[in-house]
Amino acid sequence: NAGVMQNPRHLVRRRGQEARLRCSPMKGHSHVYWYRQLPEEGLKFMVYLQKENIIDESGMPKERFSAEFPKEGPSILRIQQVVRGDSAAYFCASSPADRDVTLHFGNGTRLTVT
Amino acid sequence: GDSVTQMEGPVTLSEEAFLTINCTYTATGYPSLFWYVQYPGEGLQLLLKATKADDKGSNKGFEATYRKETTSFHLEKGSVQVSDSAVYFCALEGGGADGLTFGKGTHLIIQP
């Protein structure tokens, strides 16, 4: 039973490029959360999605960041025109149902902007 | 809003020492409380949880008791091992749509 799969594990982008981070939730899970972890910081909530719906994006920067979770395929976190401050570890977590906060985390994508 | 405060690290102990990592929270209502552990290069794994006051969560020798009167959920282990070296995150779920609110994490280093 595969856990939450994130890819790539490491992503290097130059300033101004786009970064796409993918997350496949655990089998049977239809809810996905994205978190960002900056050095020496805890995890900060970014966005909560169900299939084809954004439930809560209150933690996501208003510009350059977007997320989707289509009916088929993984959830995608997209960062356009990356800047150095976007360098962080981005974690995806999934849960089987709404309000079920026993989250299962992926191993994260470490984004480095040069 | 909801917040979680945990003791700053790194915390360095010798093998077989007693461990306490403090965690206090601020939340409206009665949140569920969690401890997650992150080993190097990996994602977070749920260590234990408690969903109501006076509940005790336990797993792998770790324990934490939900104390409503002191709004605390301190993590304890009687005898730590080198393999316990990791970053530990305290978290709460307050019933909103945004999942968990995490503390900043405490880096634990166990020396042989």
Side-chain angles (χ1 to χ4, degrees):
Chain A
N1 187 16
V4 178
M5 304 299 293
Q6 288 188 249
N7 66 81
R9 287 296 304 271
H10 301 276
L11 181 61
V12 179
R13 285 287 178 265
R14 290 198 203 93
R15 279 181 298 171
Q17 291 185 318
E18 179 180 284
R20 280 184 180 241
L21 288 63
R22 294 175 184 76
C23 169
S24 296
M26 280 184 73
K27 188 176 179 181
H29 287 195
S30 58
H31 295 71
V32 164
Y33 298 78
W34 283 94
Y35 288 84
R36 177 164 62 177
Q37 183 180 32
L38 293 166
E40 310 301 322
E41 301 254 345
L43 275 74
K44 301 295 185 187
F45 166 79
M46 298 183 75
V47 62
Y48 167 40
L49 308 109
Q50 271 181 284
K51 287 276 186 183
E52 300 184 280
N53 277 315
I54 296 175
I55 307 300
D56 183 350
E57 56 183 347
S58 59
M60 200 128 83
K62 294 287 184 277
E63 296 178 354
R64 303 188 298 108
F65 285 72
S66 62
E68 62 176 7
F69 189 15
K71 188 176 178 183
E72 303 290 338
S75 175
I76 306 285
L77 179 67
R78 183 180 176 210
I79 311 172
Q80 295 177 290
Q81 299 175 315
V82 295
V83 300
R84 287 220 172 99
D86 297 332
S87 296
Y90 292 82
F91 288 95
C92 168
S94 71
S95 68
D98 192 22
R99 307 296 177 189
D100 181 342
V101 284
T102 304
L103 300 182
H104 299 261
F105 281 82
N107 284 343
T109 294
R110 279 151 184 84
L111 172 65
T112 302
V113 179
T114 60
Chain B
D2 295 349
S3 67
V4 175
T5 303
Q6 38 182 130
M7 62 192 293
E8 297 206 6
V11 172
T12 303
L13 296 172
S14 297
E15 208 166 15
E16 298 183 4
F18 184 87
L19 168 72
T20 301
I21 300 178
N22 290 339
C23 170
T24 56
Y25 66 89
T26 302
T28 53
Y30 303 100
S32 295
L33 300 173
F34 304 80
W35 277 101
Y36 278 82
V37 58
Q38 183 181 29
Y39 298 103
E42 298 185 10
L44 277 70
Q45 302 173 28
L46 178 64
L47 182 59
L48 53 85
K49 68 178 182 181
T51 58
K52 60 183 188 296
D54 300 325
D55 267 3
K56 178 187 283 188
S58 60
N59 186 24
K60 299 181 181 179
F62 290 90
E63 292 183 339
T65 301
Y66 189 142
R67 301 282 188 206
K68 186 162 69 80
E69 61 277 11
T70 54
T71 60
S72 65
F73 193 54
H74 304 322
L75 183 68
E76 296 181 336
K77 186 174 185 182
S79 176
V80 292
Q81 306 300 313
V82 172
S83 57
D84 293 327
S85 298
V87 181
Y88 291 80
F89 291 92
C90 185
L92 70 82
E93 189 280 316
D98 60 353
L100 299 173
T101 299
F102 286 89
K104 289 189 176 182
T106 302
H107 187 192
L108 175 65
I109 301 168
I110 307 300
Q111 296 176 333

